[in-house]
């Protein structure tokens, strides 16, 4: 009852802008200021009345802070489906450390510099990659000839693909970000359409689009062990737009060819 009464008194009707922490409100800030004010007065004067008020506002601040924090956690749990990115960002912020140690170990070797650590990660990730030949895949209709014709992309298709990519402010290998491309879509659509159609006509995929930025993400175990990390690839934003627009063209024609054992990146599997 005490917590509820405090919340009704200090929680504003309109949600204010976050202050320091996501669950901070103007009511919590007000209690904090009162607590600090009477604490300063008590330190300066030694007045027992200021000390009592300081203890009072300290308790009120702790009660309200815990209540708001619990409400914040409940909201994050309820929004896990609608906004999973915010949920996992909060989980990541609660970890003790997300930094990679300065000294890493791999195959009885110890890194002496940042470059050594990078090469260790590269060697480990490369050792886990086994390229498969086309013949290794079981096609549903191996004897059927598939003719997709000559693909020509329109500006509307490219524009739709730009709008569908996930918004992000992180730069790719080209120094571009999805947010920049989405904002400049009207100016970039014609140029990208021309480049994509030229790539299809010449049957050449731009080498720059094959590059990716690899970020090691810790799984479990010891943080200084390279084998306890998995790679996350940051592809070129332009290549992903090209992929989106080609996917719509080809998936309808090729979905009957795809093996039933294929589940990765396949809708509803």
């Amino acid at each position: 009852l005490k917590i509820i009464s405090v919340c009704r008194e200090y929680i504003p009707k309109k949600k204010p802008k976050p202050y320091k922490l996501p669950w901070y409100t103007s009511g919590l800030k007000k209690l904090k200021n009162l607590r600090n004010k009477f604490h300063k007065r008590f330190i300066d004067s030694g007045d027992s009345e200021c000390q009592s008020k300081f203890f009072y506002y300290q308790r009120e601040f702790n009660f309200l802070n815990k209540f708001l924090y619990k409400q914040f956690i409940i909201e994050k749990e309820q929004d896990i489906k609608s906004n999973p990115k915010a949920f996992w960002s909060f989980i990541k912020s609660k970890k003790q450390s997300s930094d990679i140690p300065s000294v890493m170990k791999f195959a009885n070797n110890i890194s002496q510099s940042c470059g050594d650590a990078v090469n260790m990660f590269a060697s480990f990730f490369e050792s886990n990659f086994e390229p498969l030949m086309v013949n290794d895949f079981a096609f549903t209709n191996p004897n059927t000839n598939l003719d997709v014709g000559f693909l020509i992309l329109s500006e509307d298709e490219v524009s739709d693909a730009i709008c569908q990519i996930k918004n992000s402010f992180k730069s790719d290998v080209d120094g571009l970000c999805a947010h920049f491309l989405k904002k400049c879509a009207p100016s970039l659509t014609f140029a990208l359409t021309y480049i994509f159609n030229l790539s299809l006509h010449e049957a050449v995929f731009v080498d720059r689009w094959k590059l990716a930025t690899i970020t090691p993400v810790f799984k479990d175990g010891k943080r200084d062990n390279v084998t306890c990390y998995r790679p996350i690839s940051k592809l070129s934003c332009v290549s992903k737009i090209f992929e989106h627009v080609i996917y719509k063209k080809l998936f309808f024609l090729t979905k009957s060819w795809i093996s039933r054992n294929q589940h990765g990146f396949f809708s509803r599997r």
Side-chain angles (χ1 to χ4, degrees):
L1 293 177
K2 186 174 183 61
I3 296 176
I4 296 175
S5 63
V6 171
C7 293
R8 287 178 178 175
E9 180 179 358
Y10 291 102
I11 295 179
K13 294 181 180 179
K14 293 184 179 180
K15 190 175 181 180
K17 295 182 179 180
Y19 174 75
K20 288 189 178 181
L21 296 174
W23 59 87
Y24 255 63
T25 63
S26 59
L28 195 61
K29 182 180 178 181
K30 180 180 178 181
L31 286 173
K32 182 180 179 181
N33 292 337
L34 289 171
R35 180 198 65 182
N36 294 342
K37 182 179 72 172
F38 285 104
H39 180 262
K40 186 176 184 304
R41 288 184 179 180
F42 169 69
I43 295 298
D44 294 339
S45 62
D47 188 4
S48 59
E49 184 177 354
C50 293
Q51 183 184 26
S52 300
K53 290 185 177 181
F54 162 70
F55 288 144
Y56 170 78
Y57 287 115
Q58 175 69 25
R59 288 193 300 270
E60 299 298 297
F61 175 85
N62 292 336
F63 281 134
L64 183 57
N65 185 47
K66 291 180 180 179
F67 177 83
L68 293 175
Y69 178 73
K70 290 181 180 179
Q71 292 297 112
F72 174 77
I73 296 298
I74 292 174
E75 291 178 1
K76 288 297 179 183
E77 292 174 350
Q78 293 174 347
D79 295 342
I80 187 172
K81 289 186 177 180
S82 60
N83 191 6
K85 186 175 182 179
F87 173 81
W88 289 113
S89 296
F90 173 72
I91 295 298
K92 185 178 179 180
S93 66
K94 299 299 291 183
K95 292 183 178 180
Q96 293 182 354
S97 175
S98 60
D99 297 333
I100 298 176
S102 57
V103 178
M104 299 299 297
K105 300 177 182 178
F106 177 63
N108 297 325
N109 295 323
I110 299 177
S111 63
Q112 302 295 330
S113 63
C114 182
D116 292 341
V118 170
N119 291 330
M120 286 181 178
F121 279 113
S123 300
F124 171 65
F125 294 153
E126 184 179 1
S127 66
N128 287 275
F129 175 72
E130 297 180 1
L132 298 177
M133 302 301 293
V134 177
N135 294 333
D136 293 337
F137 293 95
F139 291 101
T140 306
N141 301 313
N143 298 323
T144 304
N145 293 325
L146 179 65
D147 184 11
V148 299
F150 184 73
L151 295 180
I152 300 178
L153 309 180
S154 66
E155 291 187 28
D156 290 338
E157 291 172 330
V158 174
S159 178
D160 291 340
I162 295 175
C163 295
Q164 289 177 5
I165 62 173
K166 292 183 179 179
N167 194 29
S168 174
F169 291 91
K170 294 183 178 180
S171 301
D172 61 4
V173 292
D174 299 319
L176 302 174
C177 67
H179 181 77
F180 169 77
L181 295 175
K182 292 169 77 74
K183 288 292 184 181
C184 300
S187 302
L188 297 174
T189 299
F190 175 79
L192 291 178
T193 303
Y194 176 80
I195 295 174
F196 293 162
N197 283 324
L198 183 63
S199 176
L200 292 171
H201 180 74
E202 300 292 337
V204 175
F205 191 78
V206 180
D207 289 337
R208 183 73 181 178
W209 296 347
K210 300 177 185 178
L211 302 178
T213 303
I214 306 298
T215 303
V217 177
F218 179 71
K219 296 186 298 183
D220 56 10
K222 296 182 178 180
R223 286 190 171 273
D224 62 348
N225 191 342
V226 170
T227 59
C228 295
Y229 289 78
R230 62 184 177 89
I232 294 293
S233 300
K234 178 68 175 178
L235 303 175
S236 167
C237 292
V238 177
S239 68
K240 288 195 287 187
I241 294 172
F242 195 14
E243 177 186 341
H244 279 299
V245 70
I246 292 296
Y247 171 82
K248 287 188 175 181
K249 289 275 190 179
L250 294 182
F251 181 73
F252 179 77
L253 297 173
T254 60
K255 62 180 180 180
S256 61
W257 284 52
I258 301 175
S259 171
R260 295 184 179 275
N261 298 321
Q262 173 66 32
H263 287 77
F265 308 103
F266 202 96
S267 179
R268 299 183 182 277
R269 291 192 185 175

